[in-house]
């Protein structure tokens, strides 16, 4: 049955459009951002498995945006100045919180995922939760499905299956890049893994996350 659904979806998509979308979204994916920073911080502070969790959490966050776009909710948020402001503020506050807790954990020499206090409802999800919510609350991720994706849709064909296939392609690009980067950081960590290096990189990651949070909250 699943195979039949996939075939039905595939028939609604023109594959040259999927390839064109991949070519367009890949440079955006390679630009270091929140997911990139979180993967780096989690692998250095924890292990390769933590980076993998962040990666899959980020991918699931993209699927949330794709689902919202397919039912028109993202368009409603982006068209409402008040709703968009709320999303930006929530995303910015969340990233700033991650940055501050990362910085604090570096100073205290503890894992941010196990840090007491300052807990959000999804804190127990660890790296997966951080990756998921950093993308769900990121208006830039939503804008991909509201500005870029429509350019690769065929109006005469069912829209939802097209968005689904483009989302699968987007997730594949993100997984390949972040899993590759996870391996790079994990490999480098075995060569330069010292408490001082961990603290320095965690502080740098914390500062970057705070900066990204401020930029997200202040974005126009």
């Amino acid at each position: 049955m699943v195979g039949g659904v996939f075939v039905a979806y595939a028939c609604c998509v023109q594959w040259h459009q999927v390839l064109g979308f991949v070519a367009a979204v890949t440079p955006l994916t390679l630009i270091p951002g929140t997911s990139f920073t979180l993967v780096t911080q989690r692998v250095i502070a924890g292990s390769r498995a933590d980076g993998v969790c962040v990666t899959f959490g980020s991918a699931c966050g993209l699927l949330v945006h794709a689902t919202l776009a397919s039912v028109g909710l993202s368009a409603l948020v982006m068209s409402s100045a008040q709703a968009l402001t709320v999303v930006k503020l929530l995303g910015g506050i969340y990233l700033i919180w991650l940055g501050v807790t990362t910085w604090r954990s570096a100073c205290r020499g503890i894992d941010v995922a196990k840090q007491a206090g300052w807990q959000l409802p999804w804190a127990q999800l660890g790296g997966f939760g951080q990756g998921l919510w950093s993308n769900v609350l990121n208006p830039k991720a939503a804008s991909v499905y509201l500005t870029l994706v429509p350019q690769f849709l065929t109006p005469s064909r069912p829209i939802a299956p097209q968005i689904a296939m483009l989302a699968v392609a987007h997730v594949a690009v993100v997984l390949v890049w972040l899993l590759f980067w996870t391996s790079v950081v994990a490999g480098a960590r075995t060569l330069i893994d010292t408490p001082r290096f961990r603290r320095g990189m965690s502080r740098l990651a914390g500062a970057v996350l705070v900066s990204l949070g401020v930029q997200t909250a202040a974005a126009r």
Side-chain angles (χ1 to χ4, degrees):
M1 181 176 179
V2 175
V5 172
F6 179 81
V7 171
Y9 270 45
C11 291
C12 296
V13 178
Q14 296 190 24
W15 291 100
H16 70 277
Q17 292 179 316
V18 175
L19 295 177
F21 174 73
V22 169
V25 82
T26 296
L28 299 178
T29 303
L30 297 181
I31 297 174
T34 304
S35 298
F36 179 91
T37 304
L38 282 175
V39 166
T40 304
Q41 185 272 325
R42 295 291 302 188
V43 174
I44 291 174
S47 65
R48 182 194 298 264
D50 293 318
V52 172
C53 287
V54 172
T55 296
F56 279 93
S58 298
C60 288
L62 293 178
L63 294 178
V64 170
H65 283 296
T67 301
L68 292 176
S70 66
V71 298
L73 294 181
S74 290
L76 178 62
V77 170
M78 297 297 286
S79 64
S80 169
Q82 293 80 6
L84 179 58
T85 297
V86 171
V87 172
K88 289 179 178 179
L89 289 176
L90 287 175
I93 290 171
Y94 176 61
L95 292 179
I96 292 172
W97 175 83
L98 280 180
V100 171
T101 52
T102 296
W103 182 280
R104 283 161 56 93
S105 71
C107 293
R108 297 180 181 181
I110 57 178
D111 184 355
V112 66
K114 300 177 181 178
Q115 183 170 300
W118 291 56
Q119 294 296 303
L120 291 177
W122 52 82
Q124 66 272 18
L125 297 178
F128 181 88
Q130 290 182 358
L132 173 67
W133 285 102
S134 64
N135 252 345
V136 169
L137 297 175
N138 187 354
K140 292 183 179 179
S143 68
V144 169
Y145 288 88
L146 295 171
T147 59
L148 186 61
V149 165
Q151 300 180 41
F152 297 90
L153 300 178
T154 302
S156 60
R157 295 169 178 262
I159 298 300
Q162 294 184 73
I163 293 179
M165 294 303 294
L166 293 179
V168 169
H170 190 188
V171 166
V173 172
V174 169
L175 288 177
V176 169
W177 167 235
L178 291 182
L179 290 176
F180 167 75
W181 181 245
T182 296
S183 298
V184 170
V185 177
R189 176 186 164 187
T190 60
L191 300 176
I192 51 179
D193 187 14
T194 65
R196 183 175 181 180
F197 173 74
R198 284 193 183 191
R199 288 194 299 270
M201 290 303 297
S202 291
R203 288 172 178 170
L204 176 61
V208 171
L209 287 170
V210 170
S211 176
L212 289 171
V214 172
Q215 291 178 32
T216 298
R220 298 297 180 183

